[in-house]
Amino acid sequence: MPVETCSAAVLVEFEKPLEIHSYPIPPELGPDELLVKVEMAGICGTDVHLWLGQLPIPLPVIMGHESAGTVERMGSDSMADWSGQPVSIGDRITWASSIVCGHCYYCQLKAQPTRCLSRKAYGISYCAKDAPHLRGGYAEYIVLRKGTSTFRLPDSLPTEAIIGAGCALTTAIHGLERAPAKPGDNVVIQGAGPVGLAALALAREAGAAKTILVGAPPHRLQLGSEFGATSVISIEDVPDPAARRQLVLERTGGFGADVVVECVGYPAAFVEGLDLCRDGGTYLVLGQYANAGDVLMNPHTITRKQLNVVGSWAFEPRHVHRAISWLDSTEWKHQFAKQVTHRFPLARADEALNTVRQHLSGKAVIIP
């Protein structure tokens, strides 16, 4: 019998165009594995950093860690998603992008599973040379390992809302859990990409008095206004960090923000963010997921201003569950669905990635 195959977009070499390769679809699955036909895969800003070689990953790799699709085949007769709902062939699902061991030092003793010593993420950690090959969303099919946290999607929640929110929303939920914005707070968000917009939405939900979005380009700032930002500051119109700080001070009574959320991913933003906080304020660093290099800063600023500087890495399955429940129960699902501005077939995956790299889209997605 001929082996059934499918196509995938593959990163073979850093900073080189993605290539379309063919891989066998496994004829049999292991216990509790799933074969999922990918409906939509988001292009995350982290994918750009991966393409640039700013994280240690195996090559070749099928990228794509923000995906949803339909269950095509099951490795066990009876399976359930993370919340206990039964999963059947034909169900539309999404899944947490990473799997942790559950018993290492960080998982078991320190309750920090995102720092699991054996953590692996779809679209990042798996070499496409290794069977079953299909471990990323930039493909017609993906094979989900046993232990993957899957989530059956309600019919009332469009796929565009799930992928429009992507890992940005779950990352922001985790971050603002670690460094909460409180009712009446003034919150500055650095970066108008998906993580910044997600942080903006959550700050508004938390009751922030003012939400100030600092970023570019204009179409993303427009999305920020539609998300309800109190005001926006364009780094193109105001290129001087000192002038941007002055605008933030003017809009926060001369003191600065109670909470600043960094969602940029470029190291220089970190130094600026410290200066946007009020004395005794909190600086949440979400965007520095990849190693984009060093930056010169003066730690005296942190001490003098008595700042709380908080890092947050990725998210847990419970944050995915919260994101789905929140989206499904609020009008925010429509706002996040509107973030999907560019759709590409799998054959144009490299063009999709370049669209994100050049900041030309809201959310770009691949429709395999």
Side-chain angles (χ1 to χ4, degrees), residues 207-355:
K210 292 181 180 179
T211 49
I212 303 169
L213 183 64
V214 182
H219 69 84
R220 286 189 170 177
L221 292 177
Q222 177 59 37
L223 279 172
S225 295
E226 294 173 8
F227 266 61
T230 308
S231 62
V232 300
I233 299 172
S234 168
I235 62 172
E236 295 176 348
D237 295 342
V238 189
D240 179 20
R244 294 196 290 266
R245 177 176 180 271
Q246 185 58 39
L247 288 173
V248 168
L249 291 176
E250 291 172 2
R251 297 173 192 186
T252 56
F255 296 105
D258 298 288
V259 180
V260 176
V261 188
E262 183 276 319
C263 308
V264 179
Y266 295 105
F270 176 79
V271 180
E272 180 176 349
L274 295 173
D275 284 333
L276 301 180
C277 296
R278 66 163 172 82
D279 290 5
T282 295
Y283 190 28
L284 172 60
V285 184
L286 283 182
Q288 305 297 323
Y289 192 84
N291 184 357
D294 298 332
V295 67
L296 185 65
M297 56 83 66
N298 187 345
H300 170 68
T301 303
I302 298 172
T303 304
R304 175 179 56 82
K305 297 184 73 170
Q306 297 190 153
L307 297 181
N308 303 300
V309 180
V310 180
S312 185
W313 179 264
F315 53 90
E316 301 170 35
R318 62 191 178 88
H319 300 120
V320 181
H321 184 261
R322 282 179 57 188
I324 292 170
S325 299
W326 180 65
L327 288 171
D328 192 41
S329 63
T330 67
E331 292 302 303
W332 282 107
K333 59 176 168 280
H334 304 301
Q335 203 65 54
F336 279 98
K338 284 169 58 179
Q339 273 212 81
V340 178
T341 57
H342 291 63
R343 294 168 170 82
F344 297 87
L346 185 63
R348 293 169 58 196
D350 189 66
E351 182 183 348
L353 185 64
N354 281 327
T355 298

